[in-house]
C-alpha cells in the first residue's frame, strides 16, 4: 500500500509542478524562438509519462511479491502429521478372538475345524464329553468377542486424543496444503475406525455362529443317538407311526 501511495503521489507532484511552471513563469514572446515553450511542455509531459510508467512497474512488482507470499503460505506443510496404528490394533484383535477352543474366523482351516467339531447328524459314544466340547467352543468364542470389545474400549482415550489433535490442526491450518493434509489424516482415521468396526462385527458373528453350531449339534447328536438306540420311526401323511 505504501508503494502505491508513493507512486501516485509522485505522479500528482509532477502534474502540479507542470501547472505551476506554466502559470507562474509564462514564456516571454521572443521573436525567433517560437518552439521554446513547446519544448519545455513536451519535456514535462515526458516526465509525467515516465512517472506513470514507473508507477505501473511498482504495482506489478508489488503484485508479484503478494503472489509469491501467497504461494509460500499455501505450500506450508504439517510437520507432525498423525496417523493411527490400525495394523497393530487389528493384529491384536486377531490374537484375542483366537482364544482357547474358540472357533475363530482367523483360522486358516476354519471349514475343516467347524466340520470336525460340529459334524451334524451323527452318533456319539460319549455324549457328555462331546457336549462339553461344544459348549466350551461356544463359551471361548463368546469370550473372544468380549475381549475384542474390551480391547477397543481401552483404545477410546487414545482415539479421542487423536481426534482432538486433528480438530486443532483443522482450525489452525495455514494455507491449502495444511488443510489438505488435515483432510487426509481425518479420512485415514475414518478408514481405521471402519476396519475396527468390521473386526468387532466379525467377532460378534463368530460368537453367534459358535453358539448356534453348539445348539444345533447337541440336538442333532441327541436325535442320532436316540434313532440308533430305538430305531428310526417314520410317520405317514395320515399320522400313523410304523
Amino acid at each position: 500500500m505504501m508503494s502505491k501511495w508513493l507512486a501516485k503521489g509522485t505522479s500528482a507532484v509532477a502534474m502540479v509542478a507542470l501547472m505551476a511552471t506554466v502559470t507562474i513563469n509564462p514564456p516571454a514572446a521572443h521573436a525567433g524562438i517560437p518552439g521554446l515553450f513547446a519544448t519545455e511542455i513536451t519535456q514535462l509531459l515526458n516526465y509525467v509519462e515516465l512517472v506513470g510508467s514507473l508507477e505501473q512497474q511498482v504495482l506489478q512488482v508489488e503484485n508479484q511479491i503478494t503472489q509469491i507470499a501467497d504461494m509460500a503460505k499455501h505450500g506450508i506443510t504439517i510437520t507432525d502429521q498423525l496417523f493411527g496404528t490400525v495394523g497393530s490394533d487389528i493384529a491384536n484383535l486377531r490374537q484375542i478372538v483366537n482364544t482357547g477352543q474358540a472357533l475363530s474366523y482367523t483360522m486358516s482351516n476354519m471349514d475343516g475345524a467347524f466340520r470336525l467339531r460340529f459334524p451334524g447328524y451323527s452318533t456319539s459314544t460319549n455324549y457328555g464329553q462331546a457336549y462339553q466340547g461344544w459348549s466350551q467352543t461356544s463359551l471361548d468364542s463368546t469370550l473372544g468377542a468380549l475381549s475384542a470389545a474390551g480391547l477397543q474400549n481401552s483404545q477410546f482415550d487414545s482415539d479421542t486424543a487423536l481426534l482432538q489433535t486433528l480438530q486443532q490442526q483443522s482450525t489452525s491450518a495455514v494455507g491449502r496444503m495444511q488443510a489438505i493434509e488435515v483432510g487426509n489424516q481425518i479420512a485415514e482415521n475414518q478408514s481405521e475406525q471402519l476396519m475396527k468396526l468390521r473386526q468387532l462385527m466379525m467377532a460378534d458373528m463368530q460368537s453367534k455362529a459358535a453358539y448356534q453350531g453348539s445348539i444345533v449339534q447337541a440336538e442333532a447328536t441327541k436325535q442320532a443317538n436316540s434313532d440308533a438306540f430305538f430305531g428310526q420311526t417314520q410317520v405317514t401323511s395320515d399320522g400313523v407311526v410304523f
Side-chain angles (χ1 to χ4, degrees), residues 60-121:
Q60 290 178 0
V61 172
E62 185 180 55
N63 290 335
Q64 291 177 355
I65 293 175
T66 302
Q67 292 175 0
I68 293 174
D70 186 67
M71 292 173 61
K73 179 184 69 175
H74 290 304
I76 298 175
T77 60
I78 299 177
T79 57
D80 54 344
Q81 297 190 49
L82 301 174
F83 295 100
T85 57
V86 67
S88 60
D89 293 342
I90 290 180
N92 291 334
L93 285 172
R94 287 176 176 174
Q95 292 179 355
I96 286 177
V97 296
N98 192 11
T99 302
Q101 298 185 32
L103 193 64
S104 173
Y105 60 83
T106 61
M107 288 182 172
S108 58
N109 60 335
M110 183 179 60
D111 183 73
F114 183 88
R115 295 182 182 279
L116 180 63
R117 299 185 191 182
F118 305 127
Y121 182 83

Side-chain angles (χ1 to χ4, degrees), residues 90-230:
I90 290 180
N92 291 334
L93 285 172
R94 287 176 176 174
Q95 292 179 355
I96 286 177
V97 296
N98 192 11
T99 302
Q101 298 185 32
L103 193 64
S104 173
Y105 60 83
T106 61
M107 288 182 172
S108 58
N109 60 335
M110 183 179 60
D111 183 73
F114 183 88
R115 295 182 182 279
L116 180 63
R117 299 185 191 182
F118 305 127
Y121 182 83
S122 61
T123 60
S124 174
T125 57
N126 190 337
Y127 182 82
Q129 183 178 1
Y131 187 85
Q132 181 182 5
W134 304 326
S135 60
Q136 192 64 45
T137 296
S138 178
L139 291 173
D140 287 346
S141 299
T142 302
L143 177 60
L146 290 175
S147 299
L151 175 63
Q152 293 215 20
N153 178 69
S154 66
Q155 297 170 349
F156 276 151
D157 290 340
S158 59
D159 289 343
T160 301
L162 175 60
L163 182 59
Q164 291 176 348
T165 302
L166 292 178
Q167 290 174 343
Q168 294 174 358
Q169 290 183 352
S170 178
T171 55
S172 61
V174 178
R176 286 188 294 269
M177 181 60 70
Q178 287 194 355
I180 291 173
E181 290 178 342
V182 171
N184 290 338
Q185 293 179 86
I186 294 175
E188 191 271 343
N189 184 259
Q190 289 177 338
S191 298
E192 289 191 358
Q193 297 303 321
L194 288 175
M195 293 177 69
K196 290 181 180 180
L197 179 60
R198 289 174 59 188
Q199 288 289 99
L200 282 181
M201 293 175 62
M202 289 187 292
D204 181 63
M205 292 173 62
Q206 166 185 306
S207 174
K208 292 178 179 179
Y211 174 75
Q212 184 177 4
S214 64
I215 295 298
V216 172
Q217 182 60 51
E219 293 296 329
T221 302
K222 185 186 299 183
Q223 185 63 43
N225 289 342
S226 177
D227 292 341
F229 183 79
F230 295 105

Side-chain angles (χ1 to χ4, degrees), residues 1-15 47-62:
M1 293 298 296
M2 183 63 69
S3 60
K4 292 182 180 178
W5 183 84
L6 290 175
K8 293 182 179 178
T10 304
S11 179
V13 169
M15 292 296 296
Y47 291 152
V48 172
E49 183 178 357
L50 177 61
V51 170
S53 177
L54 292 175
E55 177 184 358
Q56 294 298 323
Q57 293 180 12
V58 170
L59 292 177
Q60 290 178 0
V61 172
E62 185 180 55

